[in-house]
């Protein structure tokens, strides 16, 4: 009897699981399922911190009635931070295969236009009919596109660089400088920084700016929330001991999160000002084209001000690739700053 009930329960659970996977196909992939659970946990954590304040803090409720703008600004920041989280997690970091496809399509369009312009539409003896094998034309254009991408990337490396040395062994695509294969996403990423578990995506050229704004908003929100919790604990309102324990536990957790967010924000601000990535900074000696460059030289930096401008405001191209600096450019970057350089803003340009 027990075995029959267990079998019936298992069948019911299996049918329920199949229906859930049919409605939510993303749950069938273990990696996407864990990412979805992390996102739900992060949202629930935000709602818990917000709910505890508005349920138990009578001073905050009274202040909301007298000064509604204060709570309104806090709630706007709360909603904007969560919105920025989902925007960043859903954005593309800039995959090499997408950049290669864009270059191939642009090159194929140019070749197709040039071929069409060279075909005569008519002649004096009458109409001229030209038969074109579209499959052969398509394969030729595709081959030309691959050659165009390879030439574009190889021009960014010093002469004599081996094609095999810059080809990804997993994706089998030619990697431009600063690109790296992510084993979690199973794709090569332009200006790969790191793979963020909480966001469930890589941080690269396409979403590094959005990631910075997210951690900035999260830091400000955590600081404001911590201030509200401290004000509640210092208030004269009588509170039961269990509420004190919950508030202190939440505040301690928030404190450690705030320290981590502040360090992360400062670290990525330093990376932006020097035009570096986390991967380049941590694994510099393992990257072939960076291992012979001195530690205090930032090969891709164009000065703090220009780096900041290009990071925030000059996103003209979705796929922007930087060539390796020449020997003369590295010598200029290696030259120490003088007083005249500071006055002429050499460090900013």
């Amino acid at each position: 009897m027990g075995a029959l009930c267990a079998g019936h329960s298992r069948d019911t659970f299996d049918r329920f699981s199949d229906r859930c996977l049919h409605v939510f196909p993303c749950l069938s992939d273990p990696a996407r399922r864990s990412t979805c659970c992390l996102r739900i946990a992060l949202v629930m954590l935000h709602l818990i911190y917000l709910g505890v304040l508005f349920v138990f803090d009578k001073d905050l409720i009274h202040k909301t009635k007298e000064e509604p703008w204060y709570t309104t600004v806090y709630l706007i920041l709360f909603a904007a931070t969560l919105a920025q989280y989902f925007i960043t997690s859903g954005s593309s970091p800039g995959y090499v295969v997408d950049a290669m496809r864009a270059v191939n399509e642009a090159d194929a369009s140019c070749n197709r236009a040039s071929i069409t312009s060279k075909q005569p539409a008519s002649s004096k003896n009458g109409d001229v009919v030209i038969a074109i094998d579209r499959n052969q034309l398509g394969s030729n254009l595709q081959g030309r596109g691959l050659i165009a991408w390879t030439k574009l990337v190889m021009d960014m490396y010093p002469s004599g660089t081996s094609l095999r040395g810059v080809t990804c062994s997993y994706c089998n695509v030619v990697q431009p400088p600063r690109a790296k294969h992510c084993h979690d996403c199973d794709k090569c990423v332009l200006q790969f920084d790191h793979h963020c578990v909480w966001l469930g995506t890589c941080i690269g050229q396409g979403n590094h700016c959005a990631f910075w704004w997210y951690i900035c908003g999260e830091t400000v929100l955590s600081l404001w929330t911590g201030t509200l919790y401290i004000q509640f604990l210092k208030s004269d309102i009588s509170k039961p001991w269990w509420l004190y324990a919950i508030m202190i536990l939440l505040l301690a957790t928030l404190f450690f999160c705030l320290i981590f967010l502040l360090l992360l924000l400062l670290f990525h601000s330093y990376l932006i000002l020097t035009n570096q990535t986390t991967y380049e900074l941590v694994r510099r000696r393992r990257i072939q084209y960076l291992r012979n460059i001195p530690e205090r030289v930032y090969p891709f930096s164009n000065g703090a001000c220009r780096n900041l401008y290009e990071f925030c405001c000059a996103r003209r191209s979705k796929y922007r690739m930087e060539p390796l600096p020449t020997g003369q450019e590295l010598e200029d970057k290696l030259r120490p700053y003088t007083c005249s350089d500071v006055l002429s803003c050499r460090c900013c340009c």
Side-chain angles (χ1 to χ4, degrees):
M1 186 68 179
L4 183 63
C5 292
H8 180 71
S9 300
R10 191 180 300 109
D11 293 339
T12 304
F13 178 76
D14 291 340
R15 286 196 298 270
F16 178 75
S17 299
D18 293 338
R19 290 181 180 179
C20 288
L21 294 178
H22 180 73
V23 177
F24 304 102
C26 61
L27 297 179
S28 59
D29 185 8
R32 297 179 67 181
R33 185 165 59 244
S34 62
T35 301
C36 183
C37 292
L38 284 173
R39 290 175 180 175
I40 294 175
L42 188 72
V43 173
M44 291 300 298
L45 192 63
H46 281 74
L47 293 177
I48 287 172
Y49 274 94
L50 182 68
V52 169
L53 278 175
F54 281 92
V55 170
F56 297 107
D57 193 350
K58 296 180 180 178
D59 283 347
L60 180 62
I61 298 174
H62 180 70
K63 189 174 183 178
T64 302
K65 295 178 180 179
E66 292 184 348
E67 301 176 352
W69 64 268
Y70 182 84
T71 307
T72 302
V73 173
Y74 177 76
L75 292 177
I76 290 175
L77 177 63
F78 181 87
T81 302
L82 286 181
Q84 186 65 26
Y85 168 79
F86 285 105
I87 290 172
T88 308
S89 63
S91 60
S92 171
Y95 296 114
V96 174
V97 65
D98 294 334
M100 183 176 67
R101 188 181 298 113
V103 171
N104 293 347
E105 289 176 355
D107 187 73
S109 299
C110 293
N111 290 330
R112 192 178 293 110
S114 63
I115 291 173
T116 304
S117 63
K118 293 178 181 179
Q119 294 174 1
S122 62
S123 67
K124 294 181 179 179
N125 297 328
D127 294 337
V128 178
V129 179
I130 300 175
I132 299 177
D133 187 352
R134 294 188 178 275
N135 294 329
Q136 183 179 1
L137 176 61
S139 61
N140 290 337
L141 292 178
Q142 185 178 8
R144 291 179 184 177
L146 293 175
I147 294 174
W149 169 258
T150 303
K151 184 179 184 304
L152 175 67
V153 173
M154 294 306 295
D155 287 343
M156 299 179 183
Y157 290 96
S159 59
T161 302
S162 171
L163 178 63
R164 185 176 181 181
V166 296
T167 302
C168 178
S169 57
Y170 300 96
C171 299
N172 199 27
V173 297
V174 183
Q175 292 180 333
R178 313 190 74 182
K180 181 189 176 295
H181 183 86
C182 176
H183 296 282
D184 295 288
C185 299
D186 198 24
K187 291 181 181 180
C188 289
V189 179
L190 295 170
Q191 291 188 20
F192 175 82
D193 189 88
H194 70 285
H195 183 88
C196 183
V197 178
W198 284 99
L199 291 170
T201 186
C202 280
I203 303 302
Q205 183 193 89
N207 59 359
H208 198 177
C209 184
F211 175 74
W212 188 89
W213 280 111
Y214 164 65
I215 58 177
C216 181
E218 196 73 74
T219 302
V220 176
L221 180 64
S222 300
L223 187 62
W224 197 341
T225 305
T227 303
L228 293 177
Y229 270 71
I230 293 174
Q231 290 176 355
F232 174 70
L233 290 173
K234 292 173 63 177
S235 63
D236 298 331
I237 302 175
S238 60
K239 314 174 191 64
W241 66 269
W242 55 267
L243 183 56
Y244 268 109
I246 292 175
M247 297 292 287
I248 292 174
L249 180 62
L250 290 175
L251 186 60
T253 305
L254 185 63
F255 175 76
F256 286 109
C257 292
L258 181 59
I259 294 297
F260 173 76
L261 287 169
L262 280 172
L263 293 176
L264 189 65
L265 181 64
L266 292 174
F267 175 69
H268 278 274
S269 299
Y270 164 75
L271 293 178
I272 293 167
L273 293 175
T274 56
N275 197 7
Q276 296 185 92
T277 63
T278 302
Y279 174 71
E280 291 171 346
L281 184 66
V282 175
R283 300 295 180 91
R284 183 163 181 148
R285 290 304 172 190
R286 295 183 59 181
I287 302 175
Q288 183 179 2
Y289 54 84
L290 292 179
R291 64 178 58 155
N292 295 323
I293 300 176
E295 291 285 345
R296 61 189 184 90
V297 175
Y298 310 120
F300 301 103
S301 176
N302 297 312
C305 296
R306 187 170 179 182
N307 291 337
L308 186 61
Y309 172 76
E310 291 181 351
F311 183 83
C312 298
C313 309
R315 295 286 174 173
R316 295 181 296 273
S317 174
K318 185 178 181 181
Y319 307 110
R320 183 171 54 90
M321 295 173 287
E322 301 176 69
L324 291 176
T326 62
Q328 182 61 41
E329 290 174 342
L330 288 176
E331 289 183 5
D332 293 339
K333 295 177 187 295
L334 187 59
R335 182 167 56 90
Y337 291 110
T338 61
C339 295
S340 59
D341 291 331
V342 175
L343 293 175
S344 61
C345 294
R346 179 193 159 210
C347 58
C348 297
C349 58

